[in-house]
Amino acid sequence: MSTAASTSPRFRSKTLAGALAFFFGSLGAHRFYLYGLRDVYGWAHLLGTIVGIPGFLLLAATERASALGWVLVIPGAISLLAAFLAAIVYGLRPDEKWDAQFNAQTQEHSRSGWTVIFVVIFSLLIGAFLLMTGLALSFQTYFESQVQAARELSQ
């Protein structure tokens, strides 16, 4: 068995990278697929998610009153939203640019189809929904705390 197959560069699919960013991006799957396990940003995604989940659970348990929950949830939210943004960026990149960056040493070329377009559409839809929901809840919590502080001052 030849070792040439194991050392040859592998083809990286734009559609698969976008789908990994959409479904498992907050775990860094798209970064690990494209750059390998030594990618610092892939591990940052994973760490942000690991920190963000307890923050989200703490906020849910305290009805958004926990300062620690807000601090912990921010890295997780950044990781999640950055993953949806990565799926959009990967999907909208022209095939020629994608191949120049990720498939320069291979003989294969990307041929994107409708699948990557649907990944982009759903990434935009869900990512924008989560961003707007997060902003609305953040502002609502802030203004409710200001009203509560004003009530306490007036008494």
Side-chain angles (χ1 to χ4, degrees):
M1 206 152 127
S2 157
T3 60
S6 64
T7 60
S8 66
R10 64 187 173 130
F11 175 76
R12 289 178 179 87
S13 167
K14 181 171 94 168
T15 304
L16 181 57
L20 285 172
F22 178 76
F23 290 110
F24 305 110
S26 64
L27 302 175
H30 61 293
R31 299 287 308 186
F32 295 135
Y33 170 70
L34 293 174
Y35 300 104
L37 290 176
R38 293 185 178 176
D39 183 56
V40 174
Y41 296 112
W43 291 107
H45 271 287
L46 186 60
L47 181 63
T49 301
I50 289 171
V51 168
I53 290 172
F56 175 78
L57 295 174
L58 189 57
L59 285 177
T62 62
E63 297 178 359
R64 299 185 320 265
S66 170
L68 178 62
W70 282 107
V71 170
L72 292 176
V73 82
I74 289 173
I78 290 171
S79 175
L80 184 64
L81 295 173
F84 283 119
L85 181 61
I88 294 167
V89 169
Y90 293 159
L92 294 179
R93 184 176 296 170
D95 288 344
E96 297 78 29
K97 282 189 171 185
W98 179 267
D99 288 333
Q101 182 175 0
F102 294 108
N103 297 320
Q105 275 75 31
T106 64
Q107 300 299 325
E108 297 181 65
H109 299 288
S110 298
R111 290 188 310 253
S112 299
W114 281 101
T115 307
V116 76
I117 298 303
F118 285 120
V119 167
V120 169
I121 290 168
F122 287 116
S123 294
L124 182 60
L125 179 76
I126 295 171
F129 171 76
L130 290 175
L131 177 63
M132 296 307 293
T133 302
L135 288 172
L137 287 173
S138 299
F139 288 131
Q140 177 184 357
T141 303
Y142 172 75
F143 289 120
E144 285 175 353
S145 70
Q146 294 301 310
V147 168
Q148 183 65 27
R151 284 184 185 152
E152 289 173 5
L153 281 176
S154 68
Q155 291 179 2

